Amino acid sequence: MLYNGVDMDKILVKVRVNTLKSIYSAQSGHPGGSLSIVDILVYLYFKEMNMQDWQDPNRDRFVLSKGHACPALYAILAEKGFIEKNELWNLRKTGALLQGHPEVGIPGIEVASGSLGQGFSAALGIALGAKRLNKNFRVYVILGDGECNEGQVWEGAMFGAFHKLDNLVAIVDYNNLQSDNSCDNVTALSPLNEKWKAFGWHVLEINGHDFEEIENAFSIARRTKGKPTCIIAHTIKGKGVSFMENNPAWHGSRGLTDEELKQALKELGEE
Amino acid sequence: MISLREAFGKYLLELAKNRKDFFVLDADVAGGTFTHWFRNAFPNRFVECGIAEQNMFGVAAGLSTLGVIPIVTTYAVFASMRAIEQARNSIAYPNFNVKIVASHPGIDTGPDGATHQAIEDLAIYRSIPNFVVLSPADDIELKQCLDFALDYKGPVYMRTGRSPVPTIHNEDYKFNFGYPDLLFEVNKDIVIFGCGITSHRVLNVAKKLGITAVNVPTLKPVNNEAFVNILKTAKVAITVEDHNIIGGLGDLIGSIISENRLCVKLMKVGVHDKFGKSGDPIELAKLYGIDESSIENTVKEVINEIKR
């Protein structure tokens, strides 16, 4: 698929490949939840958001509240040219730029996130500030499904609806697996759609790996006034790598063996 | 006599007319922290967050990235414990320019009882990198601390207070960041330190008994040399704080003494590692040994000990 002359499919492959290679170099770093958000990240950074220059005061703002998935975000930032690609191979290493969770000071990172629930609140603060200061940029924040266990998320949900933050879109990466188990085997996460609705948000549900559905949802969000939008994106944890897909073992901080990397890159179609 | 929370509320209103660079965030306690006057006068710069302190701290972090200075207000117990991980990870870690102003510190909080009496806040905030920790003693110092906090680039935690306190500084007083504030100097055999609500008490006792009294408005960071100058000829240092004796003013002075190999006996007066109770603030201060008469008795014992 082409957007503004950019071949999105090629970028998708590059970002997935670099995400896994960086995790391989680090020998840790949440591959499953990184791969599940790649389609949405690529769409946001290469189509949806005004993000030519990460220092432009009028840029749209992005916050990865599920900060543990930052290998995917770092791969995107490298693809955008905000950070050097070589930095990806130093991920999580002593003295490296790229920290295990997003750190302020890394080009393109707005806030510290990864302690779950906290990036979401910061995004709400940015959106509220934009409203009060009459700024036109939009704010995008990706949360994990497991992250929605945090009370802070629901404090924030009330806040966002109360302050009518229609300049903000929260995307929940609903891959339905959290650290230990499937979401509903950890605590009662479902019905997630009804929860966000009850908190006063405009809720959309999409396939988070389908560009047309992603595009449609973000354009509806732009037209939605008076309330913030929550896009519940149904995704596959470990998307694109057969032995990782829907396998909670690939949630956490584990690296890949040489064999696993080779197999994964082959499946992803690395050129 | 004016409480520091009321002085804060009044000054906030005055400041807001002259500088437009700050917002005030509140967690449904505007009447208690005295931000209600600001809310009514500047609704577009006031952010109601509801009883949701964790989200409020995160909202402040986000707001600060736009160049606005958020002044986050709530009670010290929530600012230092309910939302402390947000203060650490969302605010201190990225070194964001957020000011936390907390009322109801210590057992002075009174009738609400132990659940609402923060006796740990200074220790907690002192231990978090990047945080400046302030505890002014009266309305004059509070204004200057707030001026300083707004001009300083980085996170600041400041205590106000619930009960009225007398003004102990002159109008021409200048708050000196990181420095001890010498209130009363006689001989320096015995130096008594206070901060916040205990400073006027130690001053009164010092005047009565002829010892040196020092107010400590900055709990972190401190100018080591300035403290050493005060302590180097002392035989006994007494610290008085409305706070647990662990991690607050007493331990600050203790670490200065030990790090500089000073030969000074330290007596820490404060809440001795136990919880507060409901009651009248002055009666509670007496019960916990930090009211004026208790401090006086403690100092008299020290004087007798030295004479022996």
Side-chain angles (χ1 to χ4, degrees), chain A residues 103-104 110 112 115 118 121-122 125-126 128-129 132 152 155-156 159 163, chain B residues 44 46-48 52 54-55 58-59 62-63 66 85-86 89-90 93-94 96:
Chain A
E103 181 180 77
V104 170
E110 308 282 356
S115 174
Q118 298 197 23
S121 295
I126 298 171
L128 178 98
R132 296 282 179 96
Q152 185 174 357
E155 292 184 2
F159 179 92
H163 289 284
Chain B
N44 199 44
F46 180 84
V47 184
E48 178 58 75
Q54 300 176 37
N55 180 61
V59 165
L63 256 178
L66 302 180
E85 198 226 323
Q86 285 73 13
N89 280 329
S90 290
Y93 171 41
F96 280 163

PDB file of all heavy atoms in Angstrom, chain A residues 103-104 110 112 115 118 121-122 125-126 128-129 132 152 155-156 159 163, chain B residues 44 46-48 52 54-55 58-59 62-63 66 85-86 89-90 93-94 96:
ATOM      1  N   GLU A 103      12.750   7.002  27.529  1.00  0.00           N
ATOM      2  CA  GLU A 103      13.349   7.994  28.416  1.00  0.00           C
ATOM      3  C   GLU A 103      13.360   9.350  27.704  1.00  0.00           C
ATOM      4  O   GLU A 103      13.686   9.427  26.514  1.00  0.00           O
ATOM      5  CB  GLU A 103      14.780   7.586  28.767  1.00  0.00           C
ATOM      6  CG  GLU A 103      15.468   8.555  29.720  1.00  0.00           C
ATOM      7  CD  GLU A 103      16.902   8.131  30.059  1.00  0.00           C
ATOM      8  OE1 GLU A 103      17.807   8.325  29.214  1.00  0.00           O
ATOM      9  OE2 GLU A 103      17.120   7.603  31.149  1.00  0.00           O
ATOM     10  N   VAL A 104      13.041  10.390  28.437  1.00  0.00           N
ATOM     11  CA  VAL A 104      13.129  11.743  27.886  1.00  0.00           C
ATOM     12  C   VAL A 104      14.605  12.043  27.619  1.00  0.00           C
ATOM     13  O   VAL A 104      15.456  11.802  28.481  1.00  0.00           O
ATOM     14  CB  VAL A 104      12.520  12.777  28.852  1.00  0.00           C
ATOM     15  CG1 VAL A 104      12.820  14.204  28.403  1.00  0.00           C
ATOM     16  CG2 VAL A 104      11.007  12.568  28.943  1.00  0.00           C
ATOM     17  N   GLU A 110       8.530  11.888  24.144  1.00  0.00           N
ATOM     18  CA  GLU A 110       7.934  13.057  24.808  1.00  0.00           C
ATOM     19  C   GLU A 110       7.989  12.963  26.327  1.00  0.00           C
ATOM     20  O   GLU A 110       8.193  13.966  27.019  1.00  0.00           O
ATOM     21  CB  GLU A 110       6.461  13.209  24.404  1.00  0.00           C
ATOM     22  CG  GLU A 110       6.189  13.217  22.898  1.00  0.00           C
ATOM     23  CD  GLU A 110       6.522  14.561  22.243  1.00  0.00           C
ATOM     24  OE1 GLU A 110       6.893  15.507  22.952  1.00  0.00           O
ATOM     25  OE2 GLU A 110       6.420  14.639  21.000  1.00  0.00           O
ATOM     26  N   ALA A 112       8.505  10.080  29.971  1.00  0.00           N
ATOM     27  CA  ALA A 112       8.946   8.775  30.460  1.00  0.00           C
ATOM     28  C   ALA A 112       7.707   7.894  30.587  1.00  0.00           C
ATOM     29  O   ALA A 112       6.696   8.319  31.134  1.00  0.00           O
ATOM     30  CB  ALA A 112       9.635   8.928  31.809  1.00  0.00           C
ATOM     31  N   SER A 115       6.064   2.556  33.202  1.00  0.00           N
ATOM     32  CA  SER A 115       5.407   2.210  34.449  1.00  0.00           C
ATOM     33  C   SER A 115       3.930   2.400  34.113  1.00  0.00           C
ATOM     34  O   SER A 115       3.470   3.516  33.848  1.00  0.00           O
ATOM     35  CB  SER A 115       5.852   3.139  35.575  1.00  0.00           C
ATOM     36  OG  SER A 115       5.084   2.839  36.715  1.00  0.00           O
ATOM     37  N   GLN A 118       1.061   5.464  33.411  1.00  0.00           N
ATOM     38  CA  GLN A 118       1.627   6.810  33.553  1.00  0.00           C
ATOM     39  C   GLN A 118       1.733   7.575  32.232  1.00  0.00           C
ATOM     40  O   GLN A 118       1.523   8.786  32.191  1.00  0.00           O
ATOM     41  CB  GLN A 118       2.977   6.743  34.261  1.00  0.00           C
ATOM     42  CG  GLN A 118       2.831   6.190  35.670  1.00  0.00           C
ATOM     43  CD  GLN A 118       4.028   6.469  36.562  1.00  0.00           C
ATOM     44  OE1 GLN A 118       4.790   7.388  36.335  1.00  0.00           O
ATOM     45  NE2 GLN A 118       4.185   5.659  37.595  1.00  0.00           N
ATOM     46  N   SER A 121      -1.688   9.190  31.411  1.00  0.00           N
ATOM     47  CA  SER A 121      -1.979  10.445  32.122  1.00  0.00           C
ATOM     48  C   SER A 121      -1.185  11.604  31.527  1.00  0.00           C
ATOM     49  O   SER A 121      -1.701  12.719  31.384  1.00  0.00           O
ATOM     50  CB  SER A 121      -1.647  10.310  33.614  1.00  0.00           C
ATOM     51  OG  SER A 121      -2.486   9.367  34.220  1.00  0.00           O
ATOM     52  N   ALA A 122       0.069  11.350  31.189  1.00  0.00           N
ATOM     53  CA  ALA A 122       0.893  12.417  30.598  1.00  0.00           C
ATOM     54  C   ALA A 122       0.294  12.865  29.268  1.00  0.00           C
ATOM     55  O   ALA A 122       0.225  14.067  28.971  1.00  0.00           O
ATOM     56  CB  ALA A 122       2.324  11.933  30.415  1.00  0.00           C
ATOM     57  N   GLY A 125      -2.496  15.101  29.906  1.00  0.00           N
ATOM     58  CA  GLY A 125      -1.995  16.423  30.292  1.00  0.00           C
ATOM     59  C   GLY A 125      -1.589  17.240  29.068  1.00  0.00           C
ATOM     60  O   GLY A 125      -1.862  18.445  28.997  1.00  0.00           O
ATOM     61  N   ILE A 126      -0.967  16.568  28.094  1.00  0.00           N
ATOM     62  CA  ILE A 126      -0.566  17.266  26.869  1.00  0.00           C
ATOM     63  C   ILE A 126      -1.819  17.718  26.106  1.00  0.00           C
ATOM     64  O   ILE A 126      -1.897  18.857  25.626  1.00  0.00           O
ATOM     65  CB  ILE A 126       0.316  16.359  25.977  1.00  0.00           C
ATOM     66  CG1 ILE A 126       1.610  15.978  26.702  1.00  0.00           C
ATOM     67  CG2 ILE A 126       0.637  17.058  24.660  1.00  0.00           C
ATOM     68  CD1 ILE A 126       2.442  14.915  25.992  1.00  0.00           C
ATOM     69  N   LEU A 128      -4.841  18.265  27.306  1.00  0.00           N
ATOM     70  CA  LEU A 128      -5.502  19.349  28.037  1.00  0.00           C
ATOM     71  C   LEU A 128      -4.763  20.665  27.808  1.00  0.00           C
ATOM     72  O   LEU A 128      -5.377  21.709  27.559  1.00  0.00           O
ATOM     73  CB  LEU A 128      -5.549  19.042  29.538  1.00  0.00           C
ATOM     74  CG  LEU A 128      -6.181  20.178  30.335  1.00  0.00           C
ATOM     75  CD1 LEU A 128      -7.646  19.883  30.616  1.00  0.00           C
ATOM     76  CD2 LEU A 128      -5.438  20.465  31.620  1.00  0.00           C
ATOM     77  N   GLY A 129      -3.432  20.607  27.862  1.00  0.00           N
ATOM     78  CA  GLY A 129      -2.628  21.806  27.645  1.00  0.00           C
ATOM     79  C   GLY A 129      -2.849  22.376  26.257  1.00  0.00           C
ATOM     80  O   GLY A 129      -2.978  23.592  26.076  1.00  0.00           O
ATOM     81  N   ARG A 132      -6.126  24.232  26.319  1.00  0.00           N
ATOM     82  CA  ARG A 132      -6.080  25.483  27.081  1.00  0.00           C
ATOM     83  C   ARG A 132      -5.213  26.535  26.390  1.00  0.00           C
ATOM     84  O   ARG A 132      -5.440  27.726  26.528  1.00  0.00           O
ATOM     85  CB  ARG A 132      -5.541  25.219  28.492  1.00  0.00           C
ATOM     86  CG  ARG A 132      -6.423  24.305  29.349  1.00  0.00           C
ATOM     87  CD  ARG A 132      -7.629  25.032  29.906  1.00  0.00           C
ATOM     88  NE  ARG A 132      -8.474  24.157  30.689  1.00  0.00           N
ATOM     89  CZ  ARG A 132      -8.415  24.053  32.024  1.00  0.00           C
ATOM     90  NH1 ARG A 132      -7.548  24.758  32.712  1.00  0.00           N
ATOM     91  NH2 ARG A 132      -9.243  23.235  32.658  1.00  0.00           N
ATOM     92  N   GLN A 152      -4.931   3.819  37.592  1.00  0.00           N
ATOM     93  CA  GLN A 152      -4.607   5.130  37.019  1.00  0.00           C
ATOM     94  C   GLN A 152      -5.238   5.312  35.634  1.00  0.00           C
ATOM     95  O   GLN A 152      -5.617   6.420  35.260  1.00  0.00           O
ATOM     96  CB  GLN A 152      -3.083   5.307  36.927  1.00  0.00           C
ATOM     97  CG  GLN A 152      -2.674   6.710  36.459  1.00  0.00           C
ATOM     98  CD  GLN A 152      -1.171   6.935  36.496  1.00  0.00           C
ATOM     99  OE1 GLN A 152      -0.416   6.062  36.918  1.00  0.00           O
ATOM    100  NE2 GLN A 152      -0.730   8.092  36.069  1.00  0.00           N
ATOM    101  N   GLU A 155      -8.719   6.442  36.274  1.00  0.00           N
ATOM    102  CA  GLU A 155      -8.688   7.845  36.732  1.00  0.00           C
ATOM    103  C   GLU A 155      -8.556   8.752  35.508  1.00  0.00           C
ATOM    104  O   GLU A 155      -9.241   9.764  35.374  1.00  0.00           O
ATOM    105  CB  GLU A 155      -7.483   8.093  37.653  1.00  0.00           C
ATOM    106  CG  GLU A 155      -7.529   7.404  38.998  1.00  0.00           C
ATOM    107  CD  GLU A 155      -6.339   7.775  39.912  1.00  0.00           C
ATOM    108  OE1 GLU A 155      -5.480   8.600  39.515  1.00  0.00           O
ATOM    109  OE2 GLU A 155      -6.277   7.252  41.023  1.00  0.00           O
ATOM    110  N   GLY A 156      -7.653   8.346  34.627  1.00  0.00           N
ATOM    111  CA  GLY A 156      -7.399   9.135  33.422  1.00  0.00           C
ATOM    112  C   GLY A 156      -8.594   9.131  32.478  1.00  0.00           C
ATOM    113  O   GLY A 156      -8.906  10.144  31.841  1.00  0.00           O
ATOM    114  N   PHE A 159     -10.991  11.626  33.643  1.00  0.00           N
ATOM    115  CA  PHE A 159     -10.431  12.961  33.405  1.00  0.00           C
ATOM    116  C   PHE A 159     -10.589  13.368  31.942  1.00  0.00           C
ATOM    117  O   PHE A 159     -11.031  14.479  31.631  1.00  0.00           O
ATOM    118  CB  PHE A 159      -8.951  12.950  33.810  1.00  0.00           C
ATOM    119  CG  PHE A 159      -8.233  14.258  33.609  1.00  0.00           C
ATOM    120  CD1 PHE A 159      -8.161  15.189  34.637  1.00  0.00           C
ATOM    121  CD2 PHE A 159      -7.598  14.558  32.404  1.00  0.00           C
ATOM    122  CE1 PHE A 159      -7.490  16.393  34.471  1.00  0.00           C
ATOM    123  CE2 PHE A 159      -6.923  15.758  32.228  1.00  0.00           C
ATOM    124  CZ  PHE A 159      -6.870  16.675  33.257  1.00  0.00           C
ATOM    125  N   HIS A 163     -12.928  16.531  30.735  1.00  0.00           N
ATOM    126  CA  HIS A 163     -12.340  17.711  30.088  1.00  0.00           C
ATOM    127  C   HIS A 163     -12.561  17.714  28.571  1.00  0.00           C
ATOM    128  O   HIS A 163     -11.965  18.533  27.865  1.00  0.00           O
ATOM    129  CB  HIS A 163     -10.854  17.822  30.440  1.00  0.00           C
ATOM    130  CG  HIS A 163     -10.615  18.212  31.871  1.00  0.00           C
ATOM    131  ND1 HIS A 163     -10.786  19.497  32.337  1.00  0.00           N
ATOM    132  CD2 HIS A 163     -10.266  17.469  32.954  1.00  0.00           C
ATOM    133  CE1 HIS A 163     -10.533  19.536  33.645  1.00  0.00           C
ATOM    134  NE2 HIS A 163     -10.216  18.330  34.038  1.00  0.00           N
TER     135      HIS A 163
ATOM    136  N   ASN B  44      -9.408  29.205  33.659  1.00  0.00           N
ATOM    137  CA  ASN B  44      -8.738  28.605  32.505  1.00  0.00           C
ATOM    138  C   ASN B  44      -7.329  28.121  32.829  1.00  0.00           C
ATOM    139  O   ASN B  44      -6.714  27.401  32.045  1.00  0.00           O
ATOM    140  CB  ASN B  44      -8.715  29.593  31.329  1.00  0.00           C
ATOM    141  CG  ASN B  44      -8.462  28.880  30.014  1.00  0.00           C
ATOM    142  OD1 ASN B  44      -9.044  27.824  29.761  1.00  0.00           O
ATOM    143  ND2 ASN B  44      -7.572  29.434  29.210  1.00  0.00           N
ATOM    144  N   PHE B  46      -6.819  26.685  35.910  1.00  0.00           N
ATOM    145  CA  PHE B  46      -7.048  25.751  37.008  1.00  0.00           C
ATOM    146  C   PHE B  46      -7.505  24.421  36.414  1.00  0.00           C
ATOM    147  O   PHE B  46      -8.351  24.401  35.525  1.00  0.00           O
ATOM    148  CB  PHE B  46      -8.128  26.318  37.937  1.00  0.00           C
ATOM    149  CG  PHE B  46      -8.443  25.439  39.115  1.00  0.00           C
ATOM    150  CD1 PHE B  46      -7.670  25.494  40.274  1.00  0.00           C
ATOM    151  CD2 PHE B  46      -9.517  24.557  39.076  1.00  0.00           C
ATOM    152  CE1 PHE B  46      -7.962  24.685  41.364  1.00  0.00           C
ATOM    153  CE2 PHE B  46      -9.812  23.753  40.164  1.00  0.00           C
ATOM    154  CZ  PHE B  46      -9.037  23.816  41.304  1.00  0.00           C
ATOM    155  N   VAL B  47      -6.926  23.325  36.872  1.00  0.00           N
ATOM    156  CA  VAL B  47      -7.290  22.015  36.325  1.00  0.00           C
ATOM    157  C   VAL B  47      -7.837  21.131  37.438  1.00  0.00           C
ATOM    158  O   VAL B  47      -7.097  20.707  38.339  1.00  0.00           O
ATOM    159  CB  VAL B  47      -6.078  21.326  35.658  1.00  0.00           C
ATOM    160  CG1 VAL B  47      -6.521  20.011  35.010  1.00  0.00           C
ATOM    161  CG2 VAL B  47      -5.424  22.240  34.620  1.00  0.00           C
ATOM    162  N   GLU B  48      -9.121  20.865  37.389  1.00  0.00           N
ATOM    163  CA  GLU B  48      -9.742  19.954  38.353  1.00  0.00           C
ATOM    164  C   GLU B  48      -9.436  18.526  37.922  1.00  0.00           C
ATOM    165  O   GLU B  48      -9.733  18.135  36.792  1.00  0.00           O
ATOM    166  CB  GLU B  48     -11.255  20.191  38.399  1.00  0.00           C
ATOM    167  CG  GLU B  48     -12.000  19.265  39.348  1.00  0.00           C
ATOM    168  CD  GLU B  48     -11.488  19.354  40.790  1.00  0.00           C
ATOM    169  OE1 GLU B  48     -11.792  20.342  41.488  1.00  0.00           O
ATOM    170  OE2 GLU B  48     -10.776  18.414  41.218  1.00  0.00           O
ATOM    171  N   ALA B  52      -8.062  11.830  42.308  1.00  0.00           N
ATOM    172  CA  ALA B  52      -7.313  10.905  41.458  1.00  0.00           C
ATOM    173  C   ALA B  52      -5.893  11.456  41.330  1.00  0.00           C
ATOM    174  O   ALA B  52      -5.491  11.974  40.297  1.00  0.00           O
ATOM    175  CB  ALA B  52      -7.990  10.780  40.101  1.00  0.00           C
ATOM    176  N   GLN B  54      -2.928  10.095  41.303  1.00  0.00           N
ATOM    177  CA  GLN B  54      -1.938   9.473  40.414  1.00  0.00           C
ATOM    178  C   GLN B  54      -2.065  10.054  39.006  1.00  0.00           C
ATOM    179  O   GLN B  54      -1.081  10.407  38.365  1.00  0.00           O
ATOM    180  CB  GLN B  54      -2.141   7.957  40.385  1.00  0.00           C
ATOM    181  CG  GLN B  54      -1.987   7.336  41.754  1.00  0.00           C
ATOM    182  CD  GLN B  54      -2.272   5.852  41.757  1.00  0.00           C
ATOM    183  OE1 GLN B  54      -1.940   5.139  40.808  1.00  0.00           O
ATOM    184  NE2 GLN B  54      -2.870   5.368  42.817  1.00  0.00           N
ATOM    185  N   ASN B  55      -3.305  10.146  38.538  1.00  0.00           N
ATOM    186  CA  ASN B  55      -3.526  10.751  37.221  1.00  0.00           C
ATOM    187  C   ASN B  55      -3.116  12.227  37.223  1.00  0.00           C
ATOM    188  O   ASN B  55      -2.514  12.712  36.269  1.00  0.00           O
ATOM    189  CB  ASN B  55      -4.991  10.609  36.817  1.00  0.00           C
ATOM    190  CG  ASN B  55      -5.272  11.219  35.454  1.00  0.00           C
ATOM    191  OD1 ASN B  55      -4.707  10.807  34.450  1.00  0.00           O
ATOM    192  ND2 ASN B  55      -6.120  12.232  35.431  1.00  0.00           N
ATOM    193  N   GLY B  58       0.507  12.683  36.621  1.00  0.00           N
ATOM    194  CA  GLY B  58       0.839  12.401  35.224  1.00  0.00           C
ATOM    195  C   GLY B  58       0.395  13.530  34.300  1.00  0.00           C
ATOM    196  O   GLY B  58       1.115  13.912  33.378  1.00  0.00           O
ATOM    197  N   VAL B  59      -0.787  14.059  34.558  1.00  0.00           N
ATOM    198  CA  VAL B  59      -1.290  15.191  33.785  1.00  0.00           C
ATOM    199  C   VAL B  59      -0.313  16.370  33.908  1.00  0.00           C
ATOM    200  O   VAL B  59       0.012  17.038  32.926  1.00  0.00           O
ATOM    201  CB  VAL B  59      -2.715  15.582  34.245  1.00  0.00           C
ATOM    202  CG1 VAL B  59      -3.117  16.956  33.727  1.00  0.00           C
ATOM    203  CG2 VAL B  59      -3.725  14.536  33.788  1.00  0.00           C
ATOM    204  N   GLY B  62       2.697  15.814  31.697  1.00  0.00           N
ATOM    205  CA  GLY B  62       2.393  16.095  30.294  1.00  0.00           C
ATOM    206  C   GLY B  62       2.286  17.586  30.015  1.00  0.00           C
ATOM    207  O   GLY B  62       2.853  18.097  29.048  1.00  0.00           O
ATOM    208  N   LEU B  63       1.568  18.277  30.901  1.00  0.00           N
ATOM    209  CA  LEU B  63       1.410  19.732  30.755  1.00  0.00           C
ATOM    210  C   LEU B  63       2.765  20.436  30.722  1.00  0.00           C
ATOM    211  O   LEU B  63       2.970  21.370  29.942  1.00  0.00           O
ATOM    212  CB  LEU B  63       0.641  20.271  31.966  1.00  0.00           C
ATOM    213  CG  LEU B  63      -0.817  20.642  31.822  1.00  0.00           C
ATOM    214  CD1 LEU B  63      -1.342  21.106  33.170  1.00  0.00           C
ATOM    215  CD2 LEU B  63      -1.030  21.719  30.772  1.00  0.00           C
ATOM    216  N   LEU B  66       4.732  21.316  27.598  1.00  0.00           N
ATOM    217  CA  LEU B  66       4.302  22.414  26.721  1.00  0.00           C
ATOM    218  C   LEU B  66       4.801  23.768  27.221  1.00  0.00           C
ATOM    219  O   LEU B  66       4.397  24.811  26.721  1.00  0.00           O
ATOM    220  CB  LEU B  66       2.775  22.421  26.610  1.00  0.00           C
ATOM    221  CG  LEU B  66       2.141  21.125  26.089  1.00  0.00           C
ATOM    222  CD1 LEU B  66       0.635  21.246  26.022  1.00  0.00           C
ATOM    223  CD2 LEU B  66       2.692  20.755  24.723  1.00  0.00           C
ATOM    224  N   GLU B  85       4.907   7.149  43.061  1.00  0.00           N
ATOM    225  CA  GLU B  85       5.606   6.538  41.926  1.00  0.00           C
ATOM    226  C   GLU B  85       5.436   7.396  40.673  1.00  0.00           C
ATOM    227  O   GLU B  85       6.325   7.461  39.828  1.00  0.00           O
ATOM    228  CB  GLU B  85       5.092   5.120  41.683  1.00  0.00           C
ATOM    229  CG  GLU B  85       6.081   4.317  40.839  1.00  0.00           C
ATOM    230  CD  GLU B  85       5.410   3.560  39.737  1.00  0.00           C
ATOM    231  OE1 GLU B  85       4.296   3.051  39.928  1.00  0.00           O
ATOM    232  OE2 GLU B  85       6.011   3.494  38.644  1.00  0.00           O
ATOM    233  N   GLN B  86       4.299   8.085  40.591  1.00  0.00           N
ATOM    234  CA  GLN B  86       4.105   9.023  39.483  1.00  0.00           C
ATOM    235  C   GLN B  86       5.057  10.212  39.639  1.00  0.00           C
ATOM    236  O   GLN B  86       5.608  10.704  38.664  1.00  0.00           O
ATOM    237  CB  GLN B  86       2.649   9.502  39.451  1.00  0.00           C
ATOM    238  CG  GLN B  86       1.659   8.466  38.914  1.00  0.00           C
ATOM    239  CD  GLN B  86       1.369   7.314  39.866  1.00  0.00           C
ATOM    240  OE1 GLN B  86       1.712   7.351  41.049  1.00  0.00           O
ATOM    241  NE2 GLN B  86       0.739   6.282  39.358  1.00  0.00           N
ATOM    242  N   ASN B  89       8.545   8.564  38.591  1.00  0.00           N
ATOM    243  CA  ASN B  89       8.765   8.143  37.197  1.00  0.00           C
ATOM    244  C   ASN B  89       8.290   9.155  36.158  1.00  0.00           C
ATOM    245  O   ASN B  89       8.913   9.299  35.114  1.00  0.00           O
ATOM    246  CB  ASN B  89       8.080   6.787  36.947  1.00  0.00           C
ATOM    247  CG  ASN B  89       8.922   5.638  37.477  1.00  0.00           C
ATOM    248  OD1 ASN B  89      10.151   5.714  37.502  1.00  0.00           O
ATOM    249  ND2 ASN B  89       8.275   4.589  37.918  1.00  0.00           N
ATOM    250  N   SER B  90       7.170   9.818  36.430  1.00  0.00           N
ATOM    251  CA  SER B  90       6.632  10.745  35.417  1.00  0.00           C
ATOM    252  C   SER B  90       7.239  12.144  35.536  1.00  0.00           C
ATOM    253  O   SER B  90       7.268  12.877  34.558  1.00  0.00           O
ATOM    254  CB  SER B  90       5.104  10.863  35.536  1.00  0.00           C
ATOM    255  OG  SER B  90       4.477   9.671  35.127  1.00  0.00           O
ATOM    256  N   TYR B  93      12.151  11.625  37.127  1.00  0.00           N
ATOM    257  CA  TYR B  93      13.041  10.916  36.190  1.00  0.00           C
ATOM    258  C   TYR B  93      13.308  11.749  34.922  1.00  0.00           C
ATOM    259  O   TYR B  93      14.468  11.964  34.553  1.00  0.00           O
ATOM    260  CB  TYR B  93      12.441   9.532  35.910  1.00  0.00           C
ATOM    261  CG  TYR B  93      13.081   8.717  34.818  1.00  0.00           C
ATOM    262  CD1 TYR B  93      14.463   8.661  34.658  1.00  0.00           C
ATOM    263  CD2 TYR B  93      12.293   7.945  33.963  1.00  0.00           C
ATOM    264  CE1 TYR B  93      15.030   7.888  33.648  1.00  0.00           C
ATOM    265  CE2 TYR B  93      12.849   7.168  32.962  1.00  0.00           C
ATOM    266  CZ  TYR B  93      14.217   7.149  32.803  1.00  0.00           C
ATOM    267  OH  TYR B  93      14.764   6.384  31.804  1.00  0.00           O
ATOM    268  N   PRO B  94      12.280  12.291  34.281  1.00  0.00           N
ATOM    269  CA  PRO B  94      12.574  13.177  33.131  1.00  0.00           C
ATOM    270  C   PRO B  94      12.932  14.607  33.541  1.00  0.00           C
ATOM    271  O   PRO B  94      13.126  15.450  32.671  1.00  0.00           O
ATOM    272  CB  PRO B  94      11.266  13.149  32.329  1.00  0.00           C
ATOM    273  CG  PRO B  94      10.207  12.803  33.301  1.00  0.00           C
ATOM    274  CD  PRO B  94      10.833  12.010  34.402  1.00  0.00           C
ATOM    275  N   PHE B  96      11.168  16.987  34.886  1.00  0.00           N
ATOM    276  CA  PHE B  96      10.160  17.937  34.401  1.00  0.00           C
ATOM    277  C   PHE B  96       9.948  19.073  35.398  1.00  0.00           C
ATOM    278  O   PHE B  96      10.124  18.916  36.608  1.00  0.00           O
ATOM    279  CB  PHE B  96       8.837  17.220  34.125  1.00  0.00           C
ATOM    280  CG  PHE B  96       8.808  16.493  32.795  1.00  0.00           C
ATOM    281  CD1 PHE B  96       7.850  15.516  32.552  1.00  0.00           C
ATOM    282  CD2 PHE B  96       9.718  16.779  31.785  1.00  0.00           C
ATOM    283  CE1 PHE B  96       7.807  14.840  31.330  1.00  0.00           C
ATOM    284  CE2 PHE B  96       9.686  16.117  30.569  1.00  0.00           C
ATOM    285  CZ  PHE B  96       8.717  15.138  30.346  1.00  0.00           C
TER     286      PHE B  96
END
